[in-house]
């Protein structure tokens, strides 16, 4: 999972860039960026917790 986290982050940046170029509404761009940031943050936390569990075994 941790290996693919950088790819997920790059895809999220691409989505934010596409949304930013397709609309002038800053509220939409900010909302999409915030949601994707939280998504990547949750994946990062989950990856770290899984890694800690694997190291305890």
């Amino acid at each position: 999972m941790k290996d693919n986290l950088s790819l997920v982050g790059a895809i999220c940046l691409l989505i934010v860039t596409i949304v930013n170029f397709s609309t002038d509404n800053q509220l939409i761009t900010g909302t999409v960026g915030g949601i994707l940031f939280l998504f990547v943050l949750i994946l990062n936390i989950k990856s770290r917790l899984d890694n800690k569990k694997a190291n305890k075994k």
Side-chain angles (χ1 to χ4, degrees), residues 12-37:
C12 289
L13 281 174
L14 177 66
I15 292 170
V16 169
T17 303
I18 291 170
V19 169
N20 193 22
F21 282 128
S22 65
T23 183
D24 289 334
N25 191 344
Q26 294 296 320
L27 181 63
I28 294 173
T29 305
T31 303
V32 170
I35 290 170
L36 291 175
F37 173 75

Side-chain angles (χ1 to χ4, degrees), residues 32-45:
V32 170
I35 290 170
L36 291 175
F37 173 75
L38 289 175
F39 174 68
V40 172
L41 182 65
I42 289 169
L43 286 178
N44 189 7
I45 292 170

